[in-house]
């Protein structure tokens, strides 16, 4: 099976930084659009940052100036650098991507592939 796996979450104090990683497991040939979402306790899932295949990026207003999404297409890996973290950033962070999967004989595009998430907690 093809999967996305997030890592890098943890418990930090306000003002500190974390870098999340999202790596592909399975026969992913390439990644197209990629994004990071988060779901805070008692709130709906929201888009944090996204990057197109060409590298164009978009950020939620709450993330602008603090978060940076980047990608390594040679490794099919996506990153989210989070600086100056705040308590309101506490959430489970999810990676999402449109990918091209190699099933052996054929290749197929899969849109909206999700990882299982990684917990980020910001508190004293």
């Amino acid at each position: 099976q093809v999967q996305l796996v997030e890592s890098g979450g943890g418990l930090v104090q306000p003002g500190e930084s974390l870098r999340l990683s999202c790596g592909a497991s399975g026969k992913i040939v390439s990644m197209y659009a990629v994004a990071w979402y988060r779901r805070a306790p008692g709130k709906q899932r929201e888009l944090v940052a996204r990057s197109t295949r060409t590298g164009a990026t978009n950020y939620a207003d709450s993330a602008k100036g603090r978060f940076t999404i980047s990608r390594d297409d040679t490794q099919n890996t996506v990153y989210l650098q989070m600086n100056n973290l705040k308590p309101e950033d506490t959430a489970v962070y999810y990676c999402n991507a449109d990918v091209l999967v190699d099933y052996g004989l054929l290749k197929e595009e899969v849109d909206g592939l999700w990882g299982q998430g990684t917990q980020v907690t910001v508190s004293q």
Side-chain angles (χ1 to χ4, degrees):
Q1 292 188 25
V2 58
Q3 299 179 37
L4 297 178
V5 181
E6 301 93 338
S7 63
L11 173 63
V12 297
Q13 297 183 13
E16 295 183 339
S17 300
L18 283 173
R19 187 166 94 142
L20 307 182
S21 298
C22 173
S25 176
K27 298 294 185 178
I28 293 181
V29 179
S30 62
M31 305 175 73
Y32 301 120
V34 298
W36 286 95
Y37 289 79
R38 68 185 180 189
R39 177 173 285 151
K43 297 183 179 180
Q44 294 183 330
R45 182 185 64 195
E46 67 172 343
L47 176 67
V48 178
R50 64 181 176 184
S51 174
T52 69
R53 185 66 179 86
T54 61
T57 58
N58 295 98
Y59 297 92
D61 288 339
S62 61
K64 289 181 179 178
R66 299 189 299 123
F67 293 5
T68 302
I69 186 172
S70 61
R71 57 198 297 167
D72 182 350
D73 290 328
T74 65
Q75 298 293 325
N76 290 323
T77 303
V78 185
Y79 304 97
L80 183 67
Q81 178 67 45
M82 304 186 294
N83 297 327
N84 191 25
L85 284 162
K86 303 176 180 180
E88 50 264 42
D89 294 319
T90 296
V92 177
Y93 285 72
Y94 299 91
C95 179
N96 180 269
D98 299 335
V99 302
L100 184 66
V101 182
D102 184 0
Y103 288 110
L105 185 61
L106 299 174
K107 295 180 177 63
E108 182 177 355
E109 182 179 343
V110 178
D111 295 336
L113 184 65
W114 291 96
Q116 290 238 300
T118 184
Q119 177 71 50
V120 172
T121 302
V122 185
S123 67
Q124 295 291 348

